[in-house]
Amino acid sequence: MKRAHVQVDGVVQSVGFRPFVYRTAVDLGLRGCVRNLGDAGVSVTLEGPGDRIDAFLRELETNPPPLATVERVTVDTEPVTEYSYESFSIVDSEDRGAGGGTVPPDTAVCEACLADIRDPSSRFHDYWATACVDCGPRFTVIEELPYDRETTSMAAFPLCSDCADAYASPSDRRYHAQAIACPSCGPQLAFQPHDRSVDPPAVGERTGIDPLPQRSSLVEGDGQSLDAAARTLDEGGIVAVKGIGGAHLACDATRPDAVSTLRDRTGRPAKPFAVMVPSMDDVATVASASSTEREWLRSARRPIVVLDQRGDALASNLAPGLHTVGVMLPYSGVHHLLFDRVDDPIVVTSANRPGLPMQSSNRAIVEQLWDVADGSLLHTRRIVQRCDDSVVRAVGGSRTLLRRSRGHAPLPVAAPTADDADVLAVGPERDVTAAVLSGDECYLTQHVGTVTDRETFRFLQAAIDHLLALTGTERPSVTAHDAHPSFRTTEYAADRTADRTVAVQHHHAHAASVLMEHDCPRAVCITADGVGYGPDGTVWGGEVLDATLTDADRVAGLAPVPMPGGDRATEFPVRSLVGLLYDREGVDIQALVDALDWSPPNADEPRVIEQQLEADVNTPVTTSAGRFLDAVAALADICHERTYEGEPAMRLEAAATDGTPRDVTVPYTTADGRPVVDTPRVAELLVELRRDGTHATDVAATAQRILADGLADLAVDAAAERGIDAVGFTGGVAYNDAISRRIRQRVRDAGLAYLDNDAVPPGDGGVAYGQAGVAAATVRDGGVDS
Amino acid sequence: LEQGAGGKAMRDLVSEVLTAGLPDDSLDIGREAMDDGAVVPIGDRNVVFTTDSHVVHPPFFPGGDIGRLAVSGTVNDLAVMGATDVRALSSAVVVEAGYAESDLERIADSMARTCREADAAIVTGDTKVMGHGDLDGIVVNTTGVGVADHVVGDDGLSPDDVLVSTGEVGRHGVALLAEREGIDFGTTVESDVRPINGVVDRALSVAGADITAMKDPTRMGLAGAASEMATKGGVGIELRQDRIPVPSDVKGASEMLGLNPLQIANEGIALLGVRPTAAADVLAALRSHPDGQDAAAIGKAIDDEHGRVLLDTGLGTRYLREPATEPAPRIC
Ligand SMILES: [Fe+3]
Ligand SMILES: [Mg+2]
Ligand SMILES: [Zn+2]
Ligand SMILES: [Zn+2]
């Protein structure tokens, strides 16, 4: 007989780990106890025959609870002659420290709970908020640590006696499940039809629950509410559906008229809308998904997965000009129950007005979307932290996060050790996610968005405060921010009282995110994106950097070219084309622009662009890869106006999938002594192809090929010169499948390791992670503040 | 070069270098607060004193010339401190050898005409000629002395004060840009350069101390002036895009250049902070003056976001940046 002391570290608290240990130990006839440790681990004492203890450890390794992440198991065994425990028990932990990693993310309703919802004899039958230790809301309902029923927005729903019994019974799947609820004690659904001709109804003040509108037209009762919502969808209407981390705007995804109404009312003329399909079987009717992609679809994180569109079941205006569609499976009981009443896939797009973050309270949903939706499907549980859907795509066959949010937040990503310094990284300006680096882990906030407006910026502040509290990092001693002097996040970093602030150049942060993920000390990194403030005051965005965590040398990239009109060039891609061609002798720009299928917003604009370049008025210099792709989109008449972030490049990518790249030798030149792809010459070559009647799709494919080959070869050369054995690729352009594949292939053909992002987005959502790593390394090396 | 643009860089230069070593005089509220002019109490009167040197290319532009600019610039600096009663101006002109006499005459005529509009007189002057190549054409310095019943600073905003623009925004900068750089917008935008002491006086005479702050949004544009008023007043400012009078030709031209009209220079308007109770009277008074027809309440001071300017676009409220240089693209 033996006694074993087992310590388990990782995400093992608040995920049903102790009940799992209890059940396993009791099943094996072992005695002892299990308790939570203050610093996020779990300690188990086992007494019994050695082979049964071994069986326990095998079970721990192979079959832990779905939400747990076991990082380390330490076992200390001693022979004993008699039992010191009567039985096996769960010991209440007096000391619940605010250690990091104790808060799990939100997860999709589990199979067992879904079966309860489907079971007419279950007390959870047809109940939308059914949850257990293995599933349900977590991050979005937690007010503060320690994570307990009382510290969540579920505290407003006192347990009925059945739920209280389940909560207290170690053998129950709902033992200590903080989000447990049933029809008799939990939050309820309601449907508020929107009468768009009158004012929105009053909604009560915030109490424990999220109050409902005060109007006689309010439909109460879960079943009736779902019926009313389904009817509205069936009629081609738009419904705001409050879910786990916020609200979606939904409509029938097979009806072009409904989709077009949604576009008109939200001012999103072309933005691709994601769809939710009833079940995995329905995915194939709208998109093709590999087995890996199916795994992502059904994973507990339940992200939107960007897939290649298939068939014509979906409305044609769902993702104009794109070959992909974002697909998601139901993740809340409310979705499953809605699909009992709706057959078709539904559009799910975040419910917000332009310039505002996604809405999450009943009041905000009703007031702000009163004239946008035809009705709101609401519930009475308060959403403490809003959290958008995560978005993932297979790029070059491997997982790439476009947005790391619900299902991930607030889980950490591994990061180099920062000694004792805790670092807060506030992110850049677009697509912001902030990060807290503590020890060797980096915690990321949920997706926040573009913080140029006040409401989104306030959301960022709240998300940061919440994350600092959850990770027990109240006062990080270092604040990292983008090097751009007038970002709102830069001002915010300066306003925080930290011991020091570290400015991190945008592309250095991108590069660092790749280095950190691979724990690689130094690599040549291709960082290709739209814009980032360069230390020389120009707009960077197509860079080959020799990067370590403390330094980034700009060793190659794209040629610097003017960007006539600054920000306006990002709106009208023709401007980037004119900027590229401005100095080329052989091109008559006015004739070229006139021949394009572009109707300028001002008749004089094409001429003014050239005069502006001549006069050098508001023509910043840029090396942006995004602007290069924009220019090609204009030249090939693929996109002439950007109505959402990244639109020209995304449409170009879609067009290129139908094209074949021409064999073109990449032209190079030098800029400030560094080798660069001669993008003006490339543009001229593409103009010639176009003039020779080459199809737009082939021009698009050729342009992507040149960009990929040019950057890859410059990076490979730089690596060879410096004796570096790895090349990274990151930045928003890394979402482009064809470009990523090509770069990876050329890097590997050269015998070098290829590094890309997996755990954080390569786009600006991953910048804070990189900022944190750079700041930590800078502080560790005693470097000076930049 | 960056320092000449009048934005943040200019303020830093002035406060760090040019005022270093000057005797500290607490009565000199102008210099202390980095205002447009200095206040020198003489007896029980507040005498406001200011000086400015003017260089502009080209010296003649649609809607004005360097002479009109030189007189208006100094008169307006006095006016926004409350000294709408301009008692005396001096003019010092430096020209390059060979400067066309006819141009000089036109400039002198323009100065005289502008003085009449401002109900002011140039009481002393001086002209110097420098060698060819020693300067570029012409420099005009003007100094002015005015009297204020009630001195107004640019630091007096309190939360809820209404921000009033006395006229349309963006004309001068666009007119100059088009003329200087040869950009053809399809229409000719005229500069708004003019003395504003008359129109400002209408506001002061109805509201007096209820006018809490004033500033002329010249080189740094409306955004820059508002930002400075917000910083000095310890308030935030929320502007409403739909209320800001931007003429359509200015709007079209700045759009085509990717510029923000709120960050473009003006030479004929003032930005006023007014107590909410007096706002209606001030607007009516301004509109009773020929130069105040387009006066508008464009926003208000808030007790939040101190030192920042926000713009409510109807699609959310975004942060408006003060340009660091001119003209300023917002890169990234
Ligand atoms: Fe970026
Ligand atoms: Mg990847
Ligand atoms: Zn469950
Ligand atoms: Zn219950």
Side-chain angles (χ1 to χ4, degrees):
Chain A
M1 192 176 115
K2 287 179 175 168
R3 180 182 300 140
H5 299 278
V6 183
Q7 183 170 336
V8 189
D9 292 308
V11 182
V12 289
Q13 293 189 8
S14 327
V15 291
F17 202 82
R18 288 178 304 159
F20 155 78
V21 167
Y22 175 90
R23 284 193 302 273
T24 310
V26 169
D27 285 353
L28 289 165
L30 294 167
R31 297 186 191 183
C33 68
V34 55
R35 62 156 60 89
N36 278 343
L37 296 173
D39 63 349
V42 165
S43 150
V44 188
T45 304
L46 298 164
E47 287 176 352
D51 58 336
R52 296 212 198 150
I53 289 177
D54 290 345
F56 176 93
L57 294 171
R58 269 199 305 281
E59 187 67 8
L60 187 66
E61 195 181 320
T62 55
N63 229 351
L67 301 188
T69 312
V70 176
E71 275 161 17
R72 197 168 42 240
V73 180
T74 332
V75 187
D76 193 1
T77 313
E78 51 180 337
V80 289
T81 50
E82 58 187 71
Y83 285 108
S84 55
Y85 289 86
E86 301 276 307
S87 62
F88 196 89
S89 63
I90 296 176
V91 178
D92 268 343
S93 37
E94 303 101 49
D95 171 27
R96 292 206 215 192
T102 61
V103 177
D106 303 297
T107 51
V109 59
C110 71
E111 290 302 321
C113 285
L114 193 54
D116 286 343
I117 294 173
R118 296 298 180 215
D119 177 2
S121 70
S122 164
R123 65 190 186 90
F124 300 101
H125 182 232
D126 275 353
Y127 182 55
W128 75 276
T130 303
C132 72
V133 285
D134 292 340
C135 75
R138 298 286 191 277
F139 174 67
T140 54
V141 296
I142 296 174
E143 308 261 16
E144 61 188 15
L145 289 179
Y147 174 45
D148 215 335
R149 179 82 172 186
E150 292 316 306
T151 56
T152 72
S153 58
M154 292 304 291
F157 306 96
L159 298 179
C160 66
S161 60
D162 285 343
C163 285
D165 287 349
Y167 185 86
S169 157
S171 59
D172 197 287
R173 201 173 87 242
R174 295 186 172 85
Y175 175 75
H176 278 214
Q178 312 301 358
I180 182 177
C182 79
S184 56
C185 68
Q188 308 290 323
L189 296 176
F191 182 81
Q192 174 62 59
H194 293 194
D195 179 349
R196 307 189 323 125
S197 65
V198 301
D199 287 339
V203 177
E205 283 308 313
R206 277 193 153 197
T207 55
I209 64 159
D210 191 0
L212 294 166
Q214 322 271 301
R215 185 161 289 178
S216 58
S217 54
L218 185 76
V219 177
E220 294 186 85
D222 288 3
Q224 292 91 315
S225 303
L226 288 159
D227 288 345
R231 218 174 307 121
T232 307
L233 291 171
D234 267 349
E235 288 161 2
I238 292 159
V239 178
V241 180
K242 184 182 172 192
I244 301 295
H248 288 128
L249 284 168
C251 72
D252 186 335
T254 65
R255 287 180 59 161
D257 58 334
V259 173
S260 124
T261 303
L262 181 57
R263 292 203 174 285
D264 291 347
R265 292 194 196 159
T266 54
R268 297 172 189 165
K271 185 187 160 129
F273 289 144
V275 296
M276 185 179 277
V277 298
S279 74
M280 187 61 88
D281 293 340
D282 302 295
V283 172
T285 63
V286 300
S288 41
S290 69
S291 59
T292 312
E293 287 163 335
R294 284 166 177 275
E295 251 168 59
W296 299 339
L297 279 168
R298 79 163 70 86
S299 70
R301 300 190 201 285
R302 235 18 94 89
I304 294 171
V305 182
V306 178
L307 299 171
D308 285 355
Q309 250 193 81
R310 181 159 105 181
D312 51 8
L314 295 175
S316 55
N317 51 351
L318 203 69
L322 303 184
H323 65 299
T324 53
V325 60
V327 179
M328 176 164 52
L329 291 177
Y331 56 86
S332 162
V334 72
H335 303 139
H336 288 283
L337 293 166
L338 196 55
F339 276 123
D340 286 350
R341 296 156 169 88
V342 175
D343 296 331
D344 290 324
I346 56 173
V347 167
V348 281
T349 186
S350 65
N352 60 282
R353 296 196 88 94
L356 294 176
M358 178 176 59
Q359 296 311 320
S360 57
S361 73
N362 292 334
R363 172 200 286 274
I365 292 167
V366 168
E367 279 180 4
Q368 295 187 15
L369 303 169
W370 190 247
D371 57 351
V372 171
D374 297 298
S376 297
L377 182 59
L378 307 169
H379 62 69
T380 51
R381 182 171 68 212
R382 255 183 323 112
I383 294 173
V384 176
Q385 277 289 302
R386 50 196 146 194
C387 194
D388 289 77
D389 298 319
S390 292
V391 186
V392 63
R393 183 185 182 190
V395 176
S398 73
R399 182 182 83 157
T400 301
L401 290 168
L402 278 79
R403 184 190 289 164
R404 186 185 186 278
S405 201
R406 180 182 48 75
H408 293 271
L411 287 182
V413 175
T417 312
D419 293 336
D420 296 331
D422 288 337
V423 180
L424 166 68
V426 296
E429 182 166 86
R430 293 182 188 284
D431 262 339
V432 172
T433 301
V436 175
L437 193 152
S438 179
D440 58 358
E441 296 196 300
C442 188
Y443 299 86
L444 277 69
T445 64
Q446 68 271 47
H447 163 79
V448 171
T450 297
V451 296
T452 48
D453 66 86
R454 174 167 53 188
E455 292 312 311
T456 312
F457 181 73
R458 285 183 177 165
F459 176 26
L460 174 67
Q461 286 178 293
I464 287 174
D465 289 344
H466 196 64
L467 186 67
L468 291 174
L470 291 188
T471 54
T473 322
E474 252 67 27
R475 292 190 143 275
S477 55
V478 180
T479 309
H481 62 88
D482 196 281
H484 195 298
S486 49
F487 275 176
R488 185 67 184 82
T489 46
T490 298
E491 285 180 26
Y492 173 71
D495 290 347
R496 286 192 65 91
T497 47
D499 294 349
R500 55 191 294 184
T501 55
V502 179
V504 183
Q505 198 277 326
H506 187 83
H507 300 94
H508 186 197
H510 272 303
S513 77
V514 169
L515 294 177
M516 290 160 71
E517 277 208 51
H518 295 269
D519 201 8
C520 170
R522 183 182 178 192
V524 172
C525 290
I526 301 167
T527 58
D529 64 1
V531 283
Y533 181 87
D536 58 355
T538 69
V539 183
W540 290 20
E543 314 307 322
V544 176
L545 306 175
D546 173 359
T548 65
L549 283 186
T550 49
D551 286 296
D553 276 348
R554 192 191 203 189
V555 295
L558 303 184
V561 295
M563 185 177 165
D567 275 348
R568 192 168 176 82
T570 65
E571 223 176 308
F572 297 101
V574 165
R575 287 179 167 266
S576 291
L577 180 64
V578 174
L580 279 172
L581 293 171
Y582 176 63
D583 273 339
R584 307 310 291 187
E585 296 287 325
V587 183
D588 177 346
I589 292 178
Q590 289 310 310
L592 178 79
V593 171
D594 283 348
L596 292 176
D597 185 22
W598 179 49
S599 7
N602 298 287
D604 297 299
E605 188 147 355
R607 204 167 22 77
V608 170
I609 300 172
E610 257 194 290
Q611 292 174 348
Q612 173 170 33
L613 283 160
E614 190 78 38
D616 195 13
V617 174
N618 195 18
T619 54
V621 169
T622 188
T623 51
S624 166
R627 295 298 83 77
F628 169 77
L629 294 170
D630 286 358
V632 182
L635 173 65
D637 276 325
I638 289 166
C639 182
H640 286 298
E641 187 176 349
R642 182 212 60 179
T643 66
Y644 59 86
E645 194 73 30
E647 180 176 8
M650 284 165 71
R651 285 183 183 241
L652 185 80
E653 180 184 5
T657 56
D658 294 329
T660 311
R662 296 297 158 90
D663 228 344
V664 180
T665 311
V666 181
Y668 296 97
T669 180
T670 56
D672 297 329
R674 64 182 189 276
V676 292
V677 178
D678 188 353
T679 44
R681 175 68 192 137
V682 175
E684 196 177 29
L685 290 168
L686 297 171
V687 168
E688 284 162 20
L689 283 182
R690 197 77 176 114
R691 197 178 289 148
D692 296 343
T694 308
H695 199 270
T697 55
D698 292 345
V699 171
T702 307
Q704 292 188 165
R705 172 63 59 87
I706 293 173
L707 184 67
D709 286 0
L711 289 172
D713 292 356
L714 287 172
V716 166
D717 289 351
E721 258 172 52
R722 291 166 173 75
I724 296 171
D725 57 6
V727 170
F729 178 36
T730 184
V733 177
Y735 292 129
N736 183 301
D737 188 45
I739 293 176
S740 288
R741 279 176 192 278
R742 184 72 177 179
I743 290 179
R744 184 181 61 182
Q745 180 199 325
R746 286 183 94 83
V747 167
R748 289 195 177 151
D749 286 353
L752 301 170
Y754 175 77
L755 315 176
D756 64 0
N757 293 109
D758 173 60
V760 302
D764 283 4
V767 162
Y769 174 66
Q771 287 175 347
V774 170
T778 304
V779 170
R780 191 168 51 235
D781 288 16
V784 278
D785 297 14
S786 38
Chain B
L1 239 174
E2 201 166 284
Q3 272 83 6
K8 195 170 173 305
M10 173 69 174
R11 275 209 307 284
D12 294 348
L13 179 72
V14 173
S15 57
E16 283 167 22
V17 181
L18 298 186
T19 63
L22 292 181
D24 187 48
D25 181 348
S26 59
L27 292 172
D28 175 357
I29 72 157
R31 185 167 58 79
E32 277 307 297
M34 295 306 301
D35 220 320
D36 299 287
V39 181
V40 184
I42 297 179
D44 58 351
R45 307 305 311 266
N46 289 307
V47 174
V48 183
F49 183 57
T50 190
T51 187
D52 213 340
S53 293
H54 300 266
V55 283
V56 61
H57 288 280
F60 299 94
F61 48 83
D65 56 70
I66 190 169
R68 184 169 178 77
L69 186 68
V71 171
S72 302
T74 291
V75 167
N76 296 353
D77 280 349
L78 295 175
V80 294
M81 292 194 67
T84 50
D85 177 3
V86 179
R87 292 297 172 88
L89 294 172
S90 75
S91 129
V93 179
V94 187
V95 292
E96 189 180 6
Y99 197 78
E101 210 168 305
S102 59
D103 282 357
L104 207 51
E105 274 166 21
R106 275 176 72 192
I107 291 167
D109 280 353
S110 173
M111 291 178 78
R113 221 174 17 249
T114 311
C115 279
R116 281 196 294 278
E117 278 178 52
D119 199 15
I122 295 174
V123 296
T124 179
D126 170 57
T127 303
K128 286 275 184 310
V129 180
M130 289 183 73
H132 188 72
D134 288 350
L135 80 161
D136 189 6
I138 182 166
V139 179
V140 182
N141 172 279
T142 49
T143 296
V145 175
V147 175
D149 290 336
H150 165 64
V151 175
V152 183
D154 58 2
D155 57 352
L157 284 181
S158 309
D160 295 328
D161 283 358
V162 177
L163 259 90
V164 171
S165 171
T166 61
E168 291 180 325
V169 170
R171 287 199 171 285
H172 182 72
V174 171
L176 254 288
L177 207 56
E179 189 68 15
R180 181 171 64 216
E181 308 295 351
I183 298 173
D184 177 7
F185 296 114
T187 56
T188 303
V189 176
E190 293 206 344
S191 167
D192 62 344
V193 57
R194 68 167 89 97
I196 57 168
N197 56 329
V199 67
V200 168
D201 192 58
R202 295 277 171 99
L204 286 170
S205 54
V206 297
D210 283 340
I211 305 227
T212 56
M214 287 199 281
K215 193 159 192 69
D216 53 340
T218 52
R219 282 168 299 192
M220 69 281 239
L222 182 69
S227 165
E228 206 169 324
M229 291 170 88
T231 304
K232 291 183 179 177
V235 295
I237 288 179
E238 204 175 290
L239 300 176
R240 287 200 32 191
Q241 190 160 46
D242 60 346
R243 298 276 183 84
I244 302 172
V246 181
S248 60
D249 50 2
V250 167
K251 189 165 179 289
S254 46
E255 227 173 60
M256 280 191 273
L257 294 175
L259 297 176
N260 183 346
L262 308 188
Q263 295 175 334
I264 290 175
N266 309 280
E267 288 293 346
I269 58 169
L271 198 54
L272 277 54
V274 185
R275 295 249 186 269
T277 46
D281 288 348
V282 165
L283 275 174
L286 290 170
R287 287 175 184 153
S288 73
H289 189 280
D291 290 342
Q293 301 292 304
D294 299 308
I298 60 170
K300 63 170 192 219
I302 54 173
D303 189 17
D304 190 16
E305 301 283 357
H306 294 177
R308 288 193 190 86
V309 183
L310 294 137
L311 183 69
D312 177 352
T313 61
L315 297 174
T317 301
R318 65 180 176 83
Y319 295 97
L320 195 59
R321 286 186 186 136
E322 180 184 8
T325 57
E326 181 206 26
R330 190 189 70 82
I331 66 165
C332 7

